[in-house]
Amino acid sequence: MRQMAVAARREKERLQRGNAILEAARHLFFEKGYSATMDEIAKKAELGKGTLYLYFKSKDELYVSVIIEGFHVLERRMERELAKAEGPDEKTRAIYYAFVDHCLENREYFRITQYFLTEDARSKTSRELIDTINQASMRLLQYGVNAIQDGVASGLFRDDIDVIAASILGWRSATGILDLAVLDEEADSRAGTYGQLFDLAFDFLMRGMKKDRPSGRKGAGG
């Protein structure tokens, strides 16, 4: 029993140190971006620098871990919004705006993720970590794919569309607008010009996917 208690205490301490490292890294990456150093993170976490390397092989791995943490926050938000949506059109909308609102409310996660997508960042990052981010990104993308597939199956969306390409288009159009909105410190919500841009981009996406509907107008001889 004593050995079990000691093992449980050590495991708890190990988890606490790991969380302290991640919290310190998040704070510094949000503040300084990738330029934050392992020395600074160790000092912030009140741990020796060597201890950091017992949990994370490199600064890159720690940076990617913070990005993945942000992905998990987004995924939980999408799940909550999907639970309230009915039908493929509402589900597609829920996913799109969950992503937009998450990024506007968590700008630091968005900023550090966007940096990782640059050629400079990827040239310094191992293939293993790039694959980790790509797999996590595909998991998020799959939410859109599933909603669009449901729309095709229900007859709401065209059956000739590439559902993966359509999902990517939705993410990338929103990301392009977010690149502008996140730089604007006053754009703290979907109000105003940016809100109109998000709505317009989503409307274009939906119009492109939906099957043609009869206009209801009679022809010249009708």
Side-chain angles (χ1 to χ4, degrees):
M1 292 293 292
R2 179 180 176 81
Q3 289 180 335
M4 291 178 62
V6 170
R9 186 181 72 251
R10 287 178 176 172
E11 177 63 14
K12 181 179 180 180
E13 291 172 350
R14 187 187 70 81
L15 291 174
Q16 288 175 337
R17 283 193 294 271
N19 289 335
I21 293 169
L22 195 60
E23 183 176 346
R26 183 193 317 116
H27 176 88
L28 287 166
F29 287 143
F30 283 1
E31 179 184 343
K32 297 186 173 185
Y34 186 77
S35 64
T37 67
M38 291 293 267
D39 285 312
E40 291 172 326
I41 293 169
K43 182 178 180 180
K44 182 72 176 177
E46 299 182 348
L47 294 168
K49 183 178 177 180
T51 302
L52 268 62
Y53 289 102
L54 295 176
Y55 290 81
F56 300 93
K57 297 177 183 177
S58 64
K59 185 176 80 168
D60 287 346
E61 183 176 333
L62 190 47
Y63 192 87
V64 167
S65 295
V66 176
I67 292 176
I68 296 296
E69 179 185 61
F71 284 1
H72 290 161
V73 173
L74 170 57
E75 187 169 10
R76 289 193 294 271
R77 184 173 196 145
M78 289 195 299
E79 290 283 1
R80 290 195 302 271
E81 295 303 317
L82 281 172
K84 297 182 287 185
E86 296 182 4
D89 51 345
E90 285 191 18
K91 289 180 180 179
T92 304
R93 174 179 290 275
I95 293 165
Y96 179 87
Y97 284 108
F99 172 61
V100 168
D101 290 339
H102 164 79
C103 293
L104 288 175
E105 294 171 14
N106 301 277
R107 292 163 184 253
E108 293 82 4
Y109 277 128
F110 180 78
R111 287 191 181 104
I112 67 170
T113 302
Q114 288 302 94
Y115 170 73
F116 183 83
L117 298 177
T118 65
E119 183 177 348
D120 178 62
R122 291 198 164 224
S123 67
K124 302 173 183 175
T125 307
S126 71
R127 183 73 252 175
E128 180 183 1
L129 290 177
I130 291 175
D131 288 343
T132 297
I133 287 289
N134 288 344
Q135 290 168 11
S137 298
M138 288 303 298
R139 178 181 173 87
L140 294 175
L141 184 70
Q142 191 63 41
Y143 280 88
V145 170
N146 291 344
I148 296 169
Q149 283 178 330
D150 287 347
V152 172
S154 71
L156 177 66
F157 297 154
R158 292 162 32 205
D159 57 12
D160 63 337
I161 60 174
D162 183 326
V163 294
I164 295 177
S167 185
I168 292 172
L169 178 61
W171 286 112
R172 294 307 299 165
S173 62
T175 300
I177 302 169
L178 283 163
D179 280 331
L180 299 174
V182 168
L183 288 174
D184 186 345
E185 296 297 334
E186 296 183 3
D188 58 355
S189 69
R190 282 194 274 121
T193 301
Y194 296 113
Q196 294 174 18
L197 288 173
F198 288 123
D199 292 344
L200 187 60
F202 182 75
D203 184 56
F204 281 158
L205 176 67
M206 293 297 284
R207 286 174 181 266
M209 293 193 300
K210 285 186 175 180
K211 287 186 174 180
D212 291 335
R213 303 295 187 193
S215 65
R217 293 182 299 174
K218 294 183 179 180

